[in-house]
Structures are given as structure tokens and as C-alpha cells.
Amino acid sequence: MVAAARDLFVAQGYGATSLQEVVDAAGVAVQTVYFVFRNKRALFKDVVDTSIAGDAEPVATMDRDWFRAACAEPTAAGQLRIQVRGVRDILGRVAPIMPLIAAAAATDPEIAAQWPAGPDPRYTVQHTSAKVLTSKPDARPDVDTDRAADLLYGLLSPELYLIFVRDRGWTPEAWEGWACAALTAQLCSGDPVPAE
């Protein structure tokens, strides 16, 4: 149901997609959708959450294996390689639905309430990563944690990913190589990692 809903939301938009269309695409009874999700808003929230996580497990990004492996790397450059790969996987799933969230929240106050104002969880993740990264021996000594977090937050944003991959036709792998090289040049001492 979630995969069918995601495909329809991306293709048609949240407002233009009916629950009946989701039911038809998923091959389930309408009662099943209501039983599992209660309504279209809850289904949409689940689509967003599973797109970010990549699965339905209630595990926060900072508790995911890939994030822990990145932070455990002994060098900042090594951390960036793993982190950018993990973010590429997430952005491949979530970037296409980010515009849908903004549009749906602008027209539906109940959806807007599902993403309350406050600290951006994505920034929280990047700040945690930056704190670890700036403590490593090859981190640039003139870049503090807040500056590193800003660079990670900006260069690994869904908006920038969409500009390169959707609008300019880059492959996700090309974006990953560029993002890793750009961040390495900004955050690590020594020679930057060449873009692939």
C-alpha cells in the first residue's frame, strides 16, 4: 500500500490522489487502508517516513548501521565517503517527495501539524555528524562544528540533489562523487578526493 501510494503521490501529487486510486494500485480492499492508516493523511506520513528510513522499522537515522559506521571511521575523509553514500540512498527515495510535503502542508493544516516547527531533524543529524567529524585528525582545524554542520546540511540537501539529479540529469553516483569531493575539500586537510 505504501509503495503504491508513494508512486501515485509522486506522479500526481498528494491532493490529486484519491484513496480509491491507492486501493486499486495496491490491490487491496478500501477497508484495509482505513484499518491500517485511518486516513489519507496518515498514509502520506507513512510514505514520507518510510522514504526517509528505507524501511518500516522505527529506527532513527543516527541509530542506523550506515550512520554509525560513518561516525566510527578513523578519518574525516572516510566518514564523509560513507556518510555521502548513505545520504545518497536516502535522497534517492525522499527528494522526489519533498515538494509534495511542502504543497500538502500549505493546503492542509493537519498535514502541516505532522511536521511541527522547530529544529530541523535533518540539521540535527548533520550537526551530530559534524561534531564527530571535526574531532578527527584530518579535519580542517579552521572549520568548527557549526560551520561543518552548515556545509553538510547545505550540500547534502534534497533541494541541491534535485537540482543536479532531476533538473540537470546527473546520475546519483555522479552527485555522490561531486558531493564527497566538495565536502572533503571544505572539511578535510590535505588533497580532496577526486569526483568520480
Side-chain angles (χ1 to χ4, degrees):
M1 289 183 288
V2 172
R6 184 185 190 284
D7 290 345
L8 288 166
F9 290 150
V10 169
Q12 301 176 175
Y14 170 78
T17 301
S18 70
L19 276 181
Q20 187 60 52
E21 289 174 303
V22 174
V23 165
D24 293 344
V28 297
V30 71
Q31 294 86 352
T32 303
V33 175
Y34 284 113
F35 177 75
V36 174
F37 296 104
R38 296 181 324 279
N39 57 43
K40 188 168 117 175
R41 289 180 191 100
L43 173 60
F44 183 65
K45 178 75 163 76
D46 202 70
V47 165
V48 173
D49 290 346
T50 57
S51 292
I52 293 169
D55 56 44
E57 298 299 317
V59 179
T61 299
M62 290 186 288
D63 293 327
R64 297 259 166 189
D65 290 342
W66 71 267
F67 187 85
R68 289 182 177 204
C71 291
E73 276 290 306
T75 65
Q79 178 179 335
L80 286 171
R81 277 191 294 277
I82 294 173
Q83 182 171 350
V84 173
R85 168 65 53 86
V87 171
R88 183 195 91 187
D89 292 342
I90 291 172
L91 291 178
R93 296 185 303 265
V94 80
I97 64 171
M98 294 303 290
L100 302 176
I101 297 169
T107 59
D108 188 330
E110 290 184 46
I111 286 183
Q114 293 179 357
W115 288 278
D120 184 335
R122 197 171 65 77
Y123 182 79
T124 301
V125 169
Q126 299 301 3
H127 195 275
T128 299
S129 173
K131 188 172 183 179
V132 174
L133 187 141
T134 55
S135 70
K136 296 190 175 174
D138 61 328
R140 282 183 50 174
D142 59 329
V143 178
D144 66 15
T145 297
D146 290 341
R147 176 72 170 208
D150 289 348
L151 289 165
L152 291 167
Y153 183 75
L155 290 178
L156 301 179
S157 69
E159 296 84 2
L160 198 54
Y161 178 88
L162 286 173
I163 287 171
F164 285 113
V165 175
R166 181 193 63 196
D167 300 344
R168 301 306 312 147
W170 287 27
T171 65
E173 294 78 15
W175 174 87
E176 178 187 343
W178 168 81
C180 190
L183 286 166
T184 300
Q186 291 290 311
L187 298 174
C188 300
S189 57
D191 295 328
V193 176
E196 295 177 8

